[in-house]
């Protein structure tokens, strides 16, 4: 764990204050010290892990208390002129004590704020499907071998999606090509948010991840195949939903109840992302699309226009050896973002605020003008070949190439409050500790740290697969498939910090608007008021390779209750290698007397007032200098570059062998047809992990661990036809999701040889498991009408907790900090949906249509505090989509409103000192208007977040704002031509 601690104030004059810190783990003691001292501390979890600190009780100055806390630990501290405290280990100090260097390894549970600013997260997932050469591999939802035709028009698209839901053998929902194309969705995640039960997570203002019924551990596959990529060294198992543009999609199917033929790995659901295949079309097809989008960014960043183009060509022909088809689909998309947020730091309670005798809760500071600005680029190429030799024999080959690049530039002024003055007002609240919450206050001697950051994400993925289908014309059909995926991930972050002191600052807390800040007594235009402070350098990269082979078969019995049996075998070999470095450098011991006055102006940048928002223009390092690195490193005597370090090197190999058997049944009950399946999937998983850990002598050496596990996953689905258009569906299953590789490092690292402390990963961690019950009542009417009501209940086991245990290392007993699976959560809820075009209305109102869905989810998860439960993070209890449609003649229009209730962002974030963080409710309004100029040419105008929604979070009480970030608006115009 890293204690995310950029400097907060120490009072100008060292006052004495009471301390009561128990002896114990340094990871906990330093947090408690920071709370009681009223400061924020920057420390490496790697440095603190395993170290025990003595008790500190009595009245001391901050410096005295810190000396006592670190006594006999081997740790040292540095304090700069602004009062920022840095705790470092004794391992590396350069000559003259001018530069203190510490290494901060990126733990999987790290909360280092700079890391979180650079890299987003992503969910996991995948699935095994039957595939053949006659149709697109539709995963567990599609079972027929008939060719399909790309639908056009909203009515046709709704009908197609409805039929997929109606004909599927599991509880599912779908959207198809026209649904995606008629809304301004940028990527898969944004398209999927229209599906009932799915909630969207954002990264830099754009959709990046999804939760299904409250769970982010979902199986996501591309054309029924695993494709690894997103997150690189973070989890290494997930497909990046933001990597693939919506332009290349044929549809998305979401199975919410499980079947035995699906690849294991999803708790919440199974998502199959489908691209187009040549046999989807009756003959030759070609389409070209071009779009220009105007991104309305935050003040200071200006509006930017970005373009995207896509093209599809498909043809099929008859030959002397059967039917053949070939398709190529390519897309290039560019987008921009310019987000300005006010990030309010964690709260603290001051017992006798400014001598008033009143306890006041207030934030330790404010990051004003957090300016994330940059761009994304996506390049995608898809090629598909199909060959149907005869009705009983077919082959196919596919290629998918994805190149995703996000370049993020970031500047912010981080102001931490100093000494409170009697000039303050409060909200009039009464907190649990008896304190009130600050509404407005003025402070003296306030530290300022401004930073310039670059953080990039680059993922390149390639997926190849070949396969075929054979049938003897009788009861047996056999399908085979071989797939290979390669992915390279590069995540980069460089953060340069500068320190200054602000004599006077007034902070005004707001609820529903950005927190306010004003400063006085300093000229931020004067370079002499700034001092160089630190460099945080991070590279966390990875490579992944995966090869999977499947053999599936269907035996049609021809009679009896069981009309067919599906069975199959899947072998998978996955290798993940993560590597890089995480280094922190203090400039002049983080207490430099140098200023920026003599620095080459080419290395500096004055952030304009429109971007800084509250403090006015201020100086920082230029983005080009941060990206270039060389000049700044030379100026401050830092190493010319970085090398990968062994402590960041981890290798994982996972081999799985899965067998499944599924019986498809059909019978009548009280004269009503009942269909469905019952099956079981058995999986053997062999894991091998390698990582570098310290031996008893303190030398890094390669350590390896192996483990094997066996899982059995039963599943049951039933579809009872209560009427010709009324179905009752039932589902019961057991599902699993693998553990993040970050918890499974094989190495044992000795963190304190004197005190016999160590830490270790746990390669034997068992996967998350969930027992699921589902029921859904579905009514179908008209050509595209549908209404449904469903309920679900999940019991999930496998939460990861940190534990301590004793192990013998080199003949001596050590206290080892490691991980174990424990805890149970329950998730239950209901979802309902409705869609219809009102063709019965008189013209012109017969073009009106409506889609609406609503989801309620209640959850209870194990808390870090024994005996307590908390809601699942990131889960809204209530959410809904409301989409109005109009289609008549050449004119088409949609307006969509997506809303989700407030939710828990974090239950016990270390950066928030254990205070839970909540997000307020938010809704976004999108629209699209299309007109078919001719049969070939259509024009679409669209808009996203036209209502100007903002993300707002708070610490425990809405008056204690944590973050306020207005989302960008965007407006686009697109032209499509079909040949």
């Amino acid at each position: 764990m890293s204690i995310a601690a950029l400097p907060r104030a120490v009072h100008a004059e060292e006052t004495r204050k009471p301390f009561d810190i128990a002896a114990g783990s340094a990871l906990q003691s330093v947090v408690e010290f920071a709370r009681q001292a009223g400061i924020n501390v920057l420390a490496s979890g790697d440095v603190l892990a395993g170290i025990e600190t003595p008790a500190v009780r009595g009245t001391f100055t901050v410096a005295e208390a810190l000396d006592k806390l670190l006594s006999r630990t081997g740790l040292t501290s540095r304090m700069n002129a602004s009062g920022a405290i840095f705790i470092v280990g004794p391992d590396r100090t350069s000559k003259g004590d001018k530069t203190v260097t510490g290494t901060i390894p990126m733990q999987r549970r790290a909360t280092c704020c700079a890391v979180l600013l650079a890299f987003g997260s992503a969910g996991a997932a995948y699935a095994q499907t039957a595939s053949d050469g006659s149709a697109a591999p539709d995963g567990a939802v599609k079972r027929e071998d008939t060719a399909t035709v790309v639908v056009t028009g909203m009515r046709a698209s709704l009908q197609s999606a409805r039929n997929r839901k109606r004909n599927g053998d599991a509880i599912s929902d779908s959207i198809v090509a026209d649904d995606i194309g008629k809304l301004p969705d940028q990527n898969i995640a944004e398209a999927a948010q229209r599906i009932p039960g799915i909630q969207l997570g954002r990264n830099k203002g754009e959709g990046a991840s999804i939760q299904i019924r409250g769970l982010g551990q979902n199986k996501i596959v591309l054309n029924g195949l695993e494709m690894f990529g997103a997150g690189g060294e973070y989890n290494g198992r997930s497909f990046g939903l933001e990597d693939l543009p919506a332009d290349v999609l044929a549809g998305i199917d979401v199975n919410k109840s499980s079947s035995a033929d699906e690849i294991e790995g999803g708790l919440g659901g199974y998502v199959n992302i489908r691209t187009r295949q040549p046999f989807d079309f009756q003959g030759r097809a070609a389409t070209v699309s071009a779009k220009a989008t105007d991104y309305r960014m935050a003040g200071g960043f200006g509006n930017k226009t970005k373009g995207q183009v896509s093209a599809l060509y498909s043809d099929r022909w008859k030959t002397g050896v059967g039917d053949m088809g070939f398709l190529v689909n390519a897309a290039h998309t560019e987008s921009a973002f310019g987000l300005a947020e006010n990030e309010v730091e964690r709260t603290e309670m001051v017992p006798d605020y400014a001598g008033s005798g009143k306890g006041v809760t207030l934030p330790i500071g404010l990051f004003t003008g957090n300016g994330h600005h940059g761009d994304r680029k996506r390049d995608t190429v898809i090629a598909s070949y199909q060959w149907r030799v005869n009705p009983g024999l077919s082959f196919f080959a596919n290629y998918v190439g994805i190149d995703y690049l996000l370049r993020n530039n970031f500047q912010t002024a981080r102001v931490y409050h100093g000494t409170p003055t009697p000039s303050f007002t409060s909200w009039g609240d009464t907190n649990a500790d008896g304190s009130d919450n600050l509404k407005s206050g003025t402070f003296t001697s306030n530290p300022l740290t401004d930073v310039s950051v670059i953080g990039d994400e680059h993922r390149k993925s390639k997926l190849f697969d070949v396969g075929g289908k054979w049938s003897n014309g009788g009861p047996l059909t056999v399908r085979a498939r071989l797939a290979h995926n390669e992915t390279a991930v590069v995540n980069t972050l460089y953060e340069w910090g500068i320190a200054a002191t602000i004599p006077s600052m007034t902070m005004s807390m707001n609820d529903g608007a950005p927190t306010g800040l004003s400063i006085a007594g300093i000229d931020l235009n004067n370079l002499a008021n700034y001092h160089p402070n630190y460099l945080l350098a991070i590279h966390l990269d990875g490579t992944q390779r995966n090869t999977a082979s499947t053999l599936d078969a269907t035996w049609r019995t021809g009679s009896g209750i069981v009309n067919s049996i599906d069975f199959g075998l899947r072998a998978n070999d996955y290798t993940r290698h993560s590597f890089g470095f995480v280094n922190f450098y203090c400039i002049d011991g983080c207490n430099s007397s140098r200023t920026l006055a003599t620095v080459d102006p080419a290395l500096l940048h004055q952030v304009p007032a429109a971007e800084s928002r509250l403090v006015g223009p201020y100086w920082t390092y230029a983005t080009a200098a941060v990206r270039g690195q060389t000049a700044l490193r030379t100026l401050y005597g830092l190493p010319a570059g970085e090398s990968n370090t062994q402590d960041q090197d981890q290798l994982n190999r996972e081999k799985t062998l899965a067998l499944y058997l599924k019986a498809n049944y059909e019978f009548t009950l009280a004269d009503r047809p009942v269909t469905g399946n019952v099956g079981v999937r058995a999986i053997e998983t062999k894991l091998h992990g390698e990582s570098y850990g310290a031996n008893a002598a303190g030398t890094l050496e390669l350590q390896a661990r192996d483990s094997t596990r066996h899982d059995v996953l039963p599943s049951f689905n039933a579809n009872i036809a209560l009427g010709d258009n009324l179905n009752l569906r039932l589902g019961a299953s057991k599902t699993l999701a693998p553990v993040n590789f970050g918890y499974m490092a094989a190495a044992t690292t000795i963190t304190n040889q004197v005190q016999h402390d160590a830490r270790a990963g746990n390669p034997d961690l068992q996967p998350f498991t969930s027992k699921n019950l589902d029921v859904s009542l579905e009514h179908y009417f008209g050509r595209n009408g549908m209404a449904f009501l469903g309920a679900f209940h999940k019991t999930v086991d496998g939460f990861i907790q940190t534990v301590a245990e004793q192990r013998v290392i080199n003949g001596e007993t050590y206290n080892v900090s490691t991980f174990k699976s424990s805890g149970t959560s329950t998730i239950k809820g209901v979802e309902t949906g409705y869609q219809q075009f009102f063709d019965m209305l008189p013209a012109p109102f017969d073009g009106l249509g409506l889609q609406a869905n609503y989801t309620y989810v209640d959850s209870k998860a194990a808390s870090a505090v024994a005996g307590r439960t908390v809601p699942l993070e990131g889960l809204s209890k209530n959410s809904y989509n409301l989409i109005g449609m109009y289609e008549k003649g050449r004119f088409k229009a949609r307006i969509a409103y997506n809303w989700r209730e407030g939710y828990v962002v974090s239950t016990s974030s270390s950066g928030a000192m254990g205070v839970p963080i909540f997000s307020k409710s938010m809704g976004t309004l999108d629209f699209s208007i299309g007109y078919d100029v001719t049969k070939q040419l259509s024009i679409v105008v669209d808009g996203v977040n036209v209502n100007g929604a903002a993300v707002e979070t708070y610490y425990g009480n809405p008056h204690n704002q944590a973050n306020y970030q207005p989302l960008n608006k965007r407006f686009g115009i697109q032209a499509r031509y079909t040949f």
Side-chain angles (χ1 to χ4, degrees):
M1 178 190 298
S2 295
I3 298 176
L6 290 168
R8 203 232 91 164
V10 180
H11 294 199
E13 53 236 32
E14 273 290 304
T15 58
R16 301 176 71 83
K17 58 179 65 180
F19 287 87
D20 186 2
I21 303 172
S25 165
L27 286 169
Q28 298 176 349
S29 298
V30 171
V31 172
E32 184 61 20
F33 166 77
R35 187 187 69 80
Q36 295 185 24
I39 66 172
N40 211 3
V41 180
L42 183 55
S44 162
D46 187 48
V47 170
L48 299 181
I51 292 179
E52 296 292 318
T53 54
V56 179
R57 292 188 173 93
T59 302
F60 309 102
T61 66
V62 169
E64 291 170 346
L66 184 59
D67 286 343
K68 290 181 179 293
L69 185 72
L70 302 183
S71 63
R72 300 187 303 276
T73 65
L75 301 175
T76 57
S77 64
R78 297 288 185 272
M79 183 181 295
N80 67 10
S82 301
I85 288 181
F86 301 84
I87 295 178
V88 296
D91 53 330
R92 289 190 288 166
T93 304
S94 68
K95 294 181 179 180
D97 199 26
K98 294 296 184 182
T99 303
V100 179
T101 306
T103 299
I104 307 175
M106 170 49 65
Q107 303 298 326
R108 299 319 184 270
R109 53 195 175 98
T111 57
C112 177
C113 57
V115 173
L116 294 179
L117 289 172
F119 309 131
S121 70
Y126 329 104
Q128 175 172 327
T129 61
S131 55
D132 56 60
S134 62
D138 288 331
V141 174
K142 185 167 183 176
R143 295 291 181 264
E144 300 85 0
D145 294 332
T146 57
T148 60
V149 179
V150 172
V151 296
T152 59
M154 293 187 218
R155 286 175 173 81
S157 69
L158 292 187
Q159 181 178 352
S160 178
R162 184 193 75 161
N163 290 343
R164 297 187 74 84
K165 179 179 180 70
R166 186 174 190 174
N167 299 330
D169 56 5
I171 298 174
S172 65
D173 286 288
S174 298
I175 52 177
V176 296
D178 201 63
D179 279 325
I180 298 167
K182 291 299 185 292
L183 282 173
D185 303 313
Q186 196 78 4
N187 57 44
I188 301 166
E190 291 187 357
Q193 70 175 317
R194 317 291 174 187
I195 296 176
I198 288 186
Q199 296 178 353
L200 180 70
R202 289 179 169 84
N203 177 28
K204 307 297 184 297
E206 189 175 298
S209 61
I210 60 172
Q211 288 180 304
I212 302 176
R213 293 175 168 178
L215 288 170
Q217 298 89 352
N218 301 301
K219 199 70 178 178
I220 301 177
V221 295
L222 180 64
N223 293 327
L225 295 171
E226 291 178 311
M227 188 169 186
F228 301 95
E233 76 296 325
Y234 277 76
N235 51 46
R237 296 179 183 270
S238 58
F239 174 64
L241 292 177
E242 58 184 318
D243 293 8
L244 197 64
D247 280 0
V248 301
L249 300 183
I252 303 173
D253 301 319
V254 178
N255 278 11
K256 299 172 181 177
S257 65
S258 181
S259 296
D261 54 345
E262 296 173 4
I263 301 177
E264 66 284 349
L267 295 186
Y270 158 70
V271 182
N272 187 36
I273 301 158
R274 296 179 289 109
T275 62
R276 296 175 177 88
Q277 301 281 293
F279 285 1
D280 290 349
F281 302 90
Q282 296 286 6
R284 180 178 298 171
T287 301
V288 176
S289 173
K291 183 176 183 179
T293 301
D294 181 28
Y295 292 85
R296 306 289 178 88
M297 300 191 293
F301 298 115
N303 298 335
K304 290 187 178 180
T305 300
K306 294 287 185 177
Q308 63 187 63
V309 294
S310 63
L312 179 146
Y313 176 83
S314 180
D315 201 0
R316 54 188 296 178
W317 56 92
K318 294 184 179 295
T319 72
V321 290
D323 295 342
M324 294 186 184
F326 176 76
L327 175 147
V328 61
N329 193 2
H332 172 79
T333 68
E334 297 183 7
S335 61
F337 57 90
L339 301 165
E341 61 181 345
N342 276 15
E343 181 180 343
V344 186
E345 286 297 272
R346 64 172 177 83
T347 59
E348 63 177 355
M349 198 278 276
V350 178
D352 182 16
Y353 186 90
S356 65
K358 183 177 183 179
V360 176
T361 295
L362 70 156
I364 65 172
L366 171 66
F367 294 4
T368 177
N370 273 8
H372 294 273
H373 56 102
D375 56 70
R376 290 178 171 91
K377 293 182 180 180
R378 300 177 178 88
D379 288 294
T380 306
V381 176
I382 298 172
S384 298
Y385 169 77
Q386 292 178 295
W387 176 22
R388 184 185 295 122
V389 181
N390 56 55
L393 180 64
S394 59
F395 302 95
F396 64 87
N398 299 299
Y399 167 78
V400 179
I402 300 174
D403 189 337
Y404 172 86
L405 173 63
L406 181 149
R407 288 166 54 91
N408 180 34
N409 310 299
F410 173 46
Q411 289 82 33
T412 187
R414 298 169 175 170
V415 184
Y416 299 87
H417 81 69
T419 304
T421 71
S423 177
F424 76 97
T425 60
S426 58
W427 285 99
D429 299 326
T430 301
N431 297 321
D433 57 9
S435 68
D436 196 353
N437 293 309
L438 183 73
K439 187 173 185 180
S440 178
T442 300
F443 309 86
T444 60
S445 301
N446 308 281
L448 165 67
T449 298
D450 75 67
V451 299
S452 184
V453 186
I454 63 102
D456 298 343
E457 303 174 33
H458 194 187
R459 297 186 284 272
K460 299 181 71 171
S461 298
K462 297 178 181 180
L463 175 65
F464 309 84
D465 77 293
V466 295
K469 183 191 76 171
W470 172 85
S471 173
N472 62 359
L476 181 64
T477 300
V478 178
R479 296 168 297 277
R481 195 172 194 180
L482 177 65
H484 180 73
N485 170 221
E486 295 183 6
T487 299
V489 180
V490 179
N491 289 332
T492 307
L493 181 141
Y494 290 98
E495 174 179 314
W496 288 82
I498 299 171
T501 300
I502 296 176
S504 179
M505 177 265 288
T506 299
M507 184 165 51
S508 302
M509 302 299 295
N510 286 322
D511 183 356
T515 291
L517 182 81
S518 62
I519 64 172
I522 186 174
D523 181 7
L524 292 181
N525 290 307
N526 187 351
L527 291 170
N529 288 324
Y530 300 87
H531 306 275
N533 200 236
Y534 67 88
L535 164 64
L536 176 65
I538 299 174
H539 246 284
L540 296 173
D541 308 330
T543 59
Q544 298 163 84
R545 294 176 181 268
N546 186 71
T547 302
S549 57
T550 59
L551 184 65
D552 302 271
T554 299
W555 179 269
R556 294 179 174 82
T557 62
S559 62
I561 293 178
V562 177
N563 52 49
S564 66
I565 298 174
D566 297 329
F567 52 96
L569 169 71
R570 179 177 184 270
N572 190 72
D573 188 345
Y574 169 62
T575 300
R576 163 192 175 272
H577 183 205
S578 63
F579 46 87
F581 54 83
V582 181
N583 291 325
F584 179 82
Y585 301 95
C586 275
I587 298 174
D588 299 339
C590 290
N591 190 20
S592 181
S593 60
R594 286 189 272 183
T595 73
L596 301 188
T598 58
V599 174
D600 182 355
L603 302 178
L604 301 176
H605 168 67
Q606 188 175 40
V607 179
E611 292 180 25
S612 64
R613 295 172 60 121
L614 300 177
V615 300
Y618 66 89
W619 287 96
T620 186
Y621 296 115
T623 295
V626 174
R627 287 193 175 275
Q629 293 290 313
T630 302
L632 287 176
R633 287 173 176 267
T634 301
L635 177 64
Y636 295 116
L638 301 181
E642 315 286 340
S643 299
N644 291 342
T645 55
Q646 289 182 325
D647 61 333
Q648 295 298 324
D649 199 294
Q650 184 177 346
L651 176 70
N652 296 94
R653 189 168 187 181
E654 181 180 81
K655 291 185 175 182
T656 59
L657 182 64
L659 300 168
Y660 74 89
L661 179 67
K662 186 179 74 167
N664 304 295
Y665 59 82
E666 182 175 355
F667 61 92
T668 58
L669 179 66
D671 295 327
R672 306 310 306 175
V674 179
T675 60
N677 60 74
V678 59
V680 64
R681 187 177 186 89
I683 312 105
E684 178 185 74
T685 304
K686 294 184 178 181
L687 294 170
H688 173 78
E690 298 178 6
S691 55
Y692 284 87
N695 58 22
T699 303
L700 286 177
E701 64 180 12
L702 187 64
Q703 300 177 17
R705 290 283 300 276
D706 294 279
S707 64
T708 301
R709 70 169 187 261
H710 296 87
D711 298 287
V712 177
L713 306 177
S715 60
F716 165 79
N717 289 281
N719 184 6
I720 305 170
L722 301 180
D724 292 342
N725 296 297
L726 183 64
N727 293 348
L728 175 65
R729 290 186 184 269
L730 305 173
S733 63
K734 180 181 179 182
T735 53
L736 65 80
V739 176
N740 187 311
F741 279 124
Y743 296 113
M744 302 178 70
T748 298
T749 302
I750 297 173
T751 55
N752 191 309
Q753 189 171 348
V754 176
Q755 298 183 17
H756 287 92
D757 291 323
R759 74 167 186 270
N762 184 1
D764 298 320
L765 284 173
Q766 298 302 303
F768 299 90
T769 60
S770 178
K771 296 178 181 177
N772 317 294
L773 296 174
D774 297 272
V775 60
S776 179
L777 184 65
E778 303 165 357
H779 175 49
Y780 301 93
F781 52 91
R783 287 181 295 179
N784 47 50
M786 173 183 67
F788 67 88
L789 175 65
F792 52 89
H793 186 282
K794 296 176 180 287
T795 303
V796 184
D797 291 310
F799 284 95
I800 306 298
Q801 293 184 349
T802 303
V803 298
E805 60 187 33
Q806 290 189 334
R807 297 182 187 177
V808 176
I809 302 174
N810 296 326
E812 298 184 21
T813 301
Y814 277 74
N815 295 312
V816 179
S817 174
T818 187
F819 309 98
K820 73 173 185 178
S821 297
S822 63
T824 299
S825 69
T826 58
I827 304 168
K828 57 186 177 182
V830 296
E831 58 187 22
T832 183
Y834 166 84
Q835 70 177 40
Q836 183 180 12
F837 264 96
F838 303 106
D839 299 315
M840 76 294 294
L841 296 177
F845 304 105
D846 54 347
L848 289 171
L850 177 67
Q851 283 182 292
N853 58 71
Y854 162 78
T855 303
Y856 170 83
V857 185
D858 186 30
S859 65
K860 292 181 180 179
S863 170
V865 180
R868 296 186 182 181
T869 60
V870 293
L872 284 176
E873 295 179 359
L875 172 62
S876 296
K877 268 194 174 183
N878 297 280
S879 61
Y880 65 83
N881 285 286
L882 188 62
I883 303 175
M885 303 172 289
Y886 187 84
E887 182 179 46
K888 192 169 181 65
R890 297 184 177 186
F891 183 78
K892 305 174 180 66
R894 291 194 193 195
I895 184 167
Y897 186 69
N898 177 275
W899 182 87
R900 62 181 300 185
E901 190 179 19
Y903 57 89
V904 177
V905 177
S906 171
T907 55
S908 59
S909 166
S910 65
M913 293 301 183
V915 178
I917 300 176
F918 299 88
S919 180
K920 290 188 176 182
S921 302
M922 186 188 71
T924 58
L925 183 66
D926 309 332
F927 75 88
S928 66
I929 300 172
Y931 183 76
D932 296 332
V933 181
T934 67
K935 290 183 179 181
Q936 289 77 34
L937 177 64
S938 63
I939 304 294
V940 178
V941 177
D942 57 46
V944 171
N945 188 36
V946 296
N947 59 324
V951 176
E952 183 177 3
T953 60
Y954 59 90
Y955 299 103
N957 185 305
H959 291 155
N960 293 324
Q961 191 177 88
N963 187 283
Y964 190 91
Q965 181 187 85
L967 299 176
N968 292 163
K969 299 179 182 180
R970 64 179 190 250
F971 298 91
I973 181 169
Q974 182 177 39
R976 296 175 181 164
Y977 192 87
T978 302
F979 296 89

